Amino acid sequence: MDIQTRSLPQLRIATVSGRIDHASAESLSSSLQTLLEECKGAGQSLLLDFSGVDYISSVGLRALMVASRQAKAQGSRIAVAALQSIVKEVFAISRFDLVLPCYETVEAGMEALS
């Protein structure tokens, strides 16, 4: 799993790629915590571009849930965009699309969070 970030005035975009599973979930969780703390200080929302994520397990969903709670607690917003079909299916089956706002494209997420 790899994470690349870019910042806009009111939005930070984190492009995540690879598999999010037991081996990488802790790294994702740590990265999200750091990114959310940075977003809080800069008054930004966080958009996760999942176009490069081809698998997510339950521990990956847990990392996202913890990040969602952190964002709410600090008054920030977090969302996910561009889910691949298999990941979108996991989100739908687990009803995780009700936990985090999900957008079809990064552009749609950018518009909603800006």
Side-chain angles (χ1 to χ4, degrees):
M1 185 205 63
D2 183 50
I3 300 176
Q4 301 293 319
T5 62
R6 60 187 167 128
S7 288
L8 302 171
Q10 296 178 331
L11 182 66
R12 179 159 301 181
I13 301 170
T15 303
V16 184
S17 59
R19 294 174 57 89
I20 302 174
D21 55 20
H22 186 72
S24 60
E26 184 60 39
S27 175
L28 174 66
S29 184
S30 176
S31 295
L32 290 176
Q33 181 179 4
T34 301
L35 285 168
L36 284 168
E37 288 174 7
E38 292 170 358
C39 285
K40 179 183 177 184
Q44 296 174 313
S45 297
L46 178 61
L47 179 62
L48 303 174
D49 174 357
F50 265 33
S51 60
V53 175
D54 53 12
Y55 175 81
I56 189 164
S57 70
S58 60
V59 292
L61 293 176
R62 183 186 182 285
L64 292 175
M65 182 175 290
V66 168
S68 174
R69 288 181 181 161
Q70 178 184 349
K72 286 179 185 173
Q74 70 185 34
S76 298
R77 296 187 302 167
I78 183 172
V80 181
L83 299 171
Q84 290 189 25
S85 61
I86 190 72
V87 176
K88 184 185 278 188
E89 187 176 330
V90 170
F91 270 56
I93 290 170
S94 65
R95 305 200 35 106
F96 210 78
D97 51 356
L98 301 175
V99 174
L100 283 178
C102 297
Y103 299 97
E104 286 295 319
T105 64
V106 172
E107 291 76 18
M110 290 170 62
E111 185 177 318
L113 295 177
S114 292

